[in-house]
Amino acid sequence: MAAEIFAARLYRSGSGCILLLLLMLKNHLLIAVFFLMSTCFSFSQELFPHAEPASNVPKGIVGVRMFYERYKEQSSNRIKEDYHARIMYGITSKWTIMSTVSVSNHHYKAFPTDVLPYFFNHHLKTYPPAGFAFEGINLYSKYRFFTRDRYHQHLRMAVFAEGCKSFVAHDDAEPTLMTDNSGYGGGLITTYLYEKFAVSLTAGFIKPLVYKQDDIDIKFQSGNASYLELSTGYRLWPIHYNSYSDLNVNIYSEFKFKQYGAAYVEQYGAEIDFAQYAASNPYTAKALAAGSYIDGHFALQFISNSNSRLDIGVTLALKNRSYTYWSPMYTLQYQTYIYTGKKKKLKQPPTSL
């Protein structure tokens, strides 16, 4: 009982990190896990739906995220869908790893024998649609190397690296590592939180690998890419916390600038130059050419019981466009953390923020 009263008083002072250290040194593991949850709850407005913050999954905790993307391919009037499942784990308080798998009807398993008709027509209604297929697996690692915590605010920086093994034939110049392309990438994340507002900047790169298909002697490689992503989050509700079970509502705006090089396509040892078909097939020429764009991701987030969250969002093209999706794209995400042991509640709730 004395430890619980001391913990509640220390929490009011904003010394969350000191609290966790003291609790663990005293072997109060269940109380420590509970305060880990409340810390995540207090900083929930930096749980960006699209970008990763510089913060980490708590040590020894498993996170599960399911997310869904849907848009209408306007050239074919078909609905395109993507289902992702992600497992997250905190190796240490500074190091988080993730693994994501995906199933979608975006891509064909392989290129057909007639490559030129495929590139010119696969996005049209007259071409047979792609069925759902297992796209691939993404592995992600993030290490937080800088932390500066203050009362109701913090600044954190992290580096990340990721790699992807894709099992489908990607057919756009723009690379993505969310199971579309085999390749690797990395970057730097800086996140700042002050009371109800959070902002994060991510700078990264993507290096796609060559896709080879021996049966028709074809090689395809998307262009190298670099990107900047600015993410902001604001806590709408509650105005002040009364308990750990308070419903938490956050609103997010995230903006991404991305640029990438042209795709390289080779068959039977000779490069196929799609630029020469720009007049007759402008869509295909643009999808395989170098490009850049700005899009925006806007979402509303609900967090219940300091643990589970639901994100509802939309992605819109703001300047130019990405050829990997059609705007608007609607997104739905659910995430929860799995804690070992029974959570022990304090009799006295923390002071409201």
Side-chain angles (χ1 to χ4, degrees), residues 15 36 42 57 69 86 91 107 111 120 127 151 159 161 179-180 190 197 227 260 263 266-267 278 313 318 326 332 353:
S15 304
L36 276 170
S42 301
V57 174
E69 299 172 341
R86 174 176 295 172
I91 295 180
H107 303 288
F111 292 132
F120 294 149
Y127 201 85
Y151 184 62
V159 291
T179 71
D180 292 85
T190 303
F197 177 75
Y227 59 92
Y260 52 88
E266 176 189 301
Q267 189 174 31
L318 301 180
W326 289 76
L332 183 67
L353 296 182

Side-chain angles (χ1 to χ4, degrees), residues 220-233:
F220 180 92
Q221 186 174 24
S222 298
N224 296 334
S226 59
Y227 59 92
L228 286 173
E229 190 158 12
L230 178 66
S231 303
T232 62

Side-chain angles (χ1 to χ4, degrees), residues 73-93:
E73 186 178 55
Q74 297 175 18
S75 59
S76 67
N77 204 34
R78 293 172 180 153
I79 299 299
K80 295 290 188 176
E81 299 173 292
D82 207 340
Y83 298 86
H84 300 268
R86 174 176 295 172
I87 297 293
M88 304 167 285
Y89 182 72
I91 295 180
T92 70
S93 61

Side-chain angles (χ1 to χ4, degrees), residues 66-134:
M66 310 294 292
F67 46 111
Y68 169 74
E69 299 172 341
R70 175 190 177 99
Y71 64 88
K72 178 184 285 188
E73 186 178 55
Q74 297 175 18
S75 59
S76 67
N77 204 34
R78 293 172 180 153
I79 299 299
K80 295 290 188 176
E81 299 173 292
D82 207 340
Y83 298 86
H84 300 268
R86 174 176 295 172
I87 297 293
M88 304 167 285
Y89 182 72
I91 295 180
T92 70
S93 61
K94 297 181 178 181
W95 185 15
T96 295
I97 57 173
M98 306 181 191
S99 178
T100 307
V101 295
S102 174
V103 173
S104 86
N105 61 349
H106 289 189
H107 303 288
Y108 296 81
K109 291 289 291 182
F111 292 132
T113 303
D114 298 326
V115 172
L116 285 179
Y118 166 81
F119 276 102
F120 294 149
N121 302 309
H122 74 273
H123 58 282
L124 301 179
K125 191 173 184 179
T126 54
Y127 201 85
F132 282 94
F134 176 68

